Amino acid sequence: MSLLKPFSRLTGLNTANILLVENEEQFQQKLADTVVLQEKTVNVNVRLARSLPLPMENEESRPRIDLVVFIIHLTSELSFQSAETSLKYLDPGYFQGKVCFLVTSARNVSVPPERLVSVRTLAASLHCPLLCAEDQTTEGVTTAAHRLLAILKVAAGLVPMATSLYLSTLTRCTVPSDIDQQNFE
Amino acid sequence: MMLYLTTFPYQESSCIMGRRDVQIHFLTLLVLYFSVMEERNSTEETPRNNALAQRRSKSYRQSMRSCVEATHLAYTSGLLTALRIPRSRKAPKSCDITKQVDPDQVALLVKKEWQLSYVTPLYQFRHTQLKSYSKQLSAFMVSEKQQGLAIEVGQELGFKVNFSVVLGLAETDKDAETVFIQILSKQVFSAKDDAPKVVWSGWLTCVNGDLDYLRSLPLEFVSLPLFCTRGPESLTVLVKSWFENIFDCCFGPLDINSTNLQWLASLWTGCHPTINIQYLKLVWTLPTLPPMDVTYTVHPQDAWELWDSMRQVDTTEDSISIDEVTGFIKGLQSHFFRHFRIDLSAGSLMQISTALGSSHHSGKIKIASPNYIPTILQLLTECALLKMPI
């Protein structure tokens, strides 16, 4: 199995590489363009993929991937399933803050709420942050790009005194498992 | 002794209770003190015991929890909804609804397509005042129609509204009785003696609603969360605005999401041995360019065999779990994929229909057979309660 490894290559100077994985291949293009346009001080390379594992042909030329983002559209069940199967091809080293889940159309009425709950439980079990994005408007895409850039810069080591593992303890998705633990007093 | 009595209420008040409770407590203790001088009453001694303090706070927390579950806006769609979404349902039993409900009234409900919305609890709605509500609503509708534009002779005047109660649909004690509303008016070119025809009908119902939620509502509120309408949209808007003005409630569209459509498909397929469903039709919309609609019709016997194989070993058990439902739909989808190489799970389920009824994602439901009304209405009541913002 060809796992994607986080530390198998050296970093570039002032560069950050992000990989957007999406089964439908529609939101990742817009997001990639916005991310590249927004960031002025750092060289950001955005790589797009439909699913993991990544093709073997590019293995040599591929730089070190700092952040892997799984884009899940809640309107289709297939999106979630393909993201789940792609997770197997990531080296466990990625799950220390270098993986992020991005969910679209979470507010859509036609989406059964169980799907968002299952994505949340998946993200919580992997200790990864879960971002909700609005992919139909430009402001939504810009906001999502802004958030991803914030996490990316930490994951690429460009923010002093912050590592991705430290950030992930603050931003990771949690699902409180029991109501009895909630305190009303 | 006196010192003991004065300190006891203050201990409790520091934890949870309000001022009023403190005063009541104090009075009862004084009474005890004066009536029983020699014996020590056990209630006076218990504050030393931590158990009472904990027990009280736990029951308070539980009652608060049921209120918070129902009313806390931040939690309604999210964690608590996940806990409240039912993962298993009872298998529908064919019951002769005409034993409980008047057959004429049942005929009003079946074989018509209803548009669904949810309603928040109604403030001070009395089932005894339905006649006055009819008069008020008809006066409201006439006055609304007369605003602005020139009055047209014929249809606008003479709205007659009929509020009636459909007894027998409510399943538990906490369910309010169903209220049926009809709007009749004379047609434009009708003769003088013609009876006015029904131009709009609607009904509010609650069948087997969530007991915790219904118990947590204050006494003045009546919860009838499911509102079904049939007729021109203009009249629906007028009726809704009248309800909102009089009973301080909110209406909203009730969409039936794909999980609930799958439940309906499975429940109806499960009824095949007793009533022949004649076909099982599912309509998906796939997000291709241009969007593709797929209508998938399954022979009833095949659908029944697939459903039967999905039902876990114990078919004598009454409950159906969500895993069986998803397995059933996945089976249908994989069969489709094997033949056409199109993965239907990439799209969304829009509509299902059988001979027993049909349901569309935008909130339309049609029940063709009166035998399974309680089950369907229970499912729809649950959808309405989950969708409500309160």
Side-chain angles (χ1 to χ4, degrees):
Chain A
M1 246 193 340
S2 55
L3 292 180
L4 192 61
K5 291 190 167 45
F7 299 114
S8 53
R9 271 170 235 282
L10 294 175
T11 56
L13 200 58
N14 206 31
T15 36
N17 301 304
I18 184 170
L19 173 68
L20 301 176
V21 182
E22 181 192 353
N23 191 38
E24 285 81 18
E25 293 177 324
Q26 55 196 40
F27 184 39
Q28 54 184 196
Q29 191 58 53
K30 281 193 283 188
L31 196 54
D33 295 334
T34 320
V35 162
V36 169
L37 285 174
Q38 259 200 10
E39 185 50 53
K40 308 281 190 289
T41 51
V42 177
N43 281 338
V44 176
N45 298 325
V46 184
R47 299 181 86 88
L48 308 177
R50 187 144 181 241
S51 64
L52 297 175
L54 297 176
M56 295 291 287
E57 302 87 53
N58 301 341
E59 192 77 38
E60 295 305 312
S61 59
R62 195 181 300 135
R64 178 172 109 160
I65 304 285
D66 296 309
L67 182 66
V68 180
V69 181
F70 289 96
I71 301 177
I72 298 179
H73 293 276
L74 288 180
T75 43
S76 87
E77 184 70 30
L78 189 60
S79 196
F80 176 52
Q81 281 165 358
S82 106
E84 263 189 311
T85 46
S86 300
L87 282 171
K88 298 193 200 91
Y89 295 97
L90 277 184
D91 187 76
Y94 266 108
F95 292 106
Q96 290 173 339
K98 291 184 186 281
V99 173
C100 175
F101 287 91
L102 186 71
V103 153
T104 63
S105 37
R107 291 187 292 193
N108 199 330
V109 287
S110 59
V111 165
E114 297 91 43
R115 239 172 249 165
L116 180 59
V117 170
S118 42
V119 176
R120 280 186 77 182
T121 38
L122 179 66
S125 67
L126 296 169
H127 299 280
C128 299
L130 174 73
L131 303 177
C132 295
E134 159 77 70
D135 59 337
Q136 306 291 336
T137 59
T138 43
E139 295 90 36
V141 179
T142 320
T143 317
H146 192 69
R147 288 184 185 154
L148 284 181
L149 275 171
I151 303 180
L152 174 63
K153 283 199 259 197
V154 174
L158 298 166
V159 175
M161 308 301 283
T163 60
S164 54
L165 185 58
Y166 174 63
L167 186 66
S168 77
T169 57
L170 300 173
T171 57
R172 67 190 180 105
C173 183
T174 53
V175 180
S177 56
D178 202 32
I179 303 184
D180 289 322
Q181 289 171 3
Q182 287 172 9
N183 190 12
F184 290 122
E185 257 103 5
Chain B
M1 185 69 167
M2 277 311 289
L3 190 61
Y4 184 93
L5 277 171
T6 50
T7 52
F8 166 58
Y10 285 94
Q11 253 183 9
E12 290 296 318
S13 72
S14 65
C15 303
I16 349 135
M17 299 210 288
R19 279 185 72 89
R20 202 174 60 133
D21 289 346
V22 172
Q23 286 167 4
I24 290 174
H25 224 85
F26 196 54
L27 279 171
T28 55
L29 279 171
L30 277 177
V31 167
L32 282 167
Y33 176 66
F34 288 121
S35 60
V36 182
M37 292 293 271
E38 285 162 358
E39 303 177 2
R40 281 291 206 109
N41 221 347
S42 61
T43 50
E44 291 172 46
E45 288 202 281
T46 41
R48 291 295 177 214
N49 184 4
N50 280 332
L52 177 63
Q54 276 179 2
R55 232 182 297 138
R56 180 162 313 178
S57 62
K58 192 174 173 218
S59 64
Y60 184 78
R61 204 190 308 148
Q62 275 177 350
S63 62
M64 262 299 286
R65 196 202 307 155
S66 62
C67 293
V68 169
E69 257 191 46
T71 60
H72 202 323
L73 278 173
Y75 284 120
T76 33
S77 51
L79 169 71
L80 288 177
T81 313
L83 297 175
R84 283 158 61 190
I85 293 174
R87 294 192 60 83
S88 71
R89 275 178 214 284
K90 285 180 62 169
K93 284 196 194 53
S94 165
C95 62
D96 196 6
I97 192 88
T98 52
K99 290 201 192 90
Q100 293 164 284
V101 189
D102 189 20
D104 298 328
Q105 288 180 322
V106 173
L108 287 172
L109 303 179
V110 295
K111 293 200 179 42
K112 296 193 183 74
E113 189 170 70
W114 300 98
Q115 177 71 41
L116 299 173
S117 2
Y118 66 81
V119 191
T120 56
L122 304 163
Y123 182 64
Q124 287 188 345
F125 179 87
R126 305 256 182 276
H127 283 89
T128 46
Q129 291 186 0
L130 293 181
K131 271 206 170 11
S132 84
Y133 293 154
S134 320
K135 292 197 190 94
Q136 285 175 30
L137 182 55
S138 55
F140 178 79
M141 298 196 68
V142 171
S143 67
E144 286 287 323
K145 286 280 185 187
Q146 283 175 349
Q147 267 178 22
L149 304 175
I151 300 174
E152 293 172 18
V153 184
Q155 199 163 12
E156 264 64 30
L157 299 174
F159 272 120
K160 187 163 145 0
V161 179
N162 222 348
F163 271 70
S164 56
V165 175
V166 179
L167 291 167
L169 277 179
E171 294 266 319
T172 66
D173 302 329
K174 285 283 169 190
D175 290 337
E177 294 292 340
T178 307
V179 176
F180 193 83
I181 309 164
Q182 271 177 327
I183 298 182
L184 308 110
S185 85
K186 284 201 191 308
Q187 296 299 91
V188 179
F189 294 111
S190 63
K192 239 187 185 174
D193 298 328
D194 268 357
K197 287 175 86 168
V198 177
V199 290
W200 186 92
S201 46
W203 42 298
L204 289 157
T205 181
C206 176
V207 177
N208 237 339
D210 186 39
L211 283 174
D212 288 329
Y213 174 71
L214 291 176
R215 277 194 207 118
S216 70
L217 283 179
L219 287 170
E220 307 86 43
F221 284 92
V222 172
S223 174
L224 287 162
L226 190 64
F227 184 46
C228 313
T229 59
R230 177 190 156 81
E233 185 61 28
S234 54
L235 292 178
T236 311
V237 167
L238 284 178
V239 173
K240 284 183 182 174
S241 57
W242 181 79
F243 267 96
E244 283 173 0
N245 286 336
I246 304 287
F247 300 112
D248 194 24
C249 57
C250 285
F251 285 82
L254 181 65
D255 287 349
I256 308 179
N257 62 25
S258 67
T259 311
N260 289 315
L261 286 175
Q262 289 174 11
W263 270 116
L264 283 172
S266 324
L267 292 175
W268 273 326
T269 311
C271 303
H272 182 64
T274 37
I275 294 187
N276 185 6
I277 59 174
Q278 284 168 22
Y279 57 89
L280 172 66
K281 190 166 84 147
L282 306 127
V283 178
W284 266 277
T285 303
L286 294 169
T288 51
L289 289 162
M292 179 160 64
D293 287 332
V294 173
T295 307
Y296 183 9
T297 311
V298 186
H299 190 268
Q301 193 56 36
D302 297 334
W304 158 248
E305 279 169 12
L306 179 62
W307 173 241
D308 201 26
S309 66
M310 277 298 146
R311 293 281 275 130
Q312 306 301 329
V313 185
D314 219 344
T315 45
T316 53
E317 254 187 43
D318 232 1
S319 62
I320 305 174
S321 80
I322 184 84
D323 301 318
E324 293 167 13
V325 174
T326 38
F328 176 60
I329 300 291
K330 274 207 177 66
L332 291 173
Q333 286 174 346
S334 60
H335 179 79
F336 195 85
F337 183 71
R338 204 177 307 131
H339 285 270
F340 296 104
R341 291 281 145 196
I342 295 179
D343 199 346
L344 289 172
S345 63
S348 41
L349 185 56
M350 282 285 140
Q351 184 181 359
I352 56 145
S353 65
T354 65
L356 292 176
S358 69
S359 173
H360 192 273
H361 158 80
S362 62
K364 296 195 181 50
I365 182 108
K366 178 173 164 184
I367 306 174
S369 151
N371 290 350
Y372 295 98
I373 285 185
T375 325
I376 310 293
L377 288 184
Q378 178 183 338
L379 197 153
L380 295 173
T381 310
E382 265 171 25
C383 291
L385 281 174
L386 284 174
K387 189 93 196 294
M388 264 192 328
I390 303 180

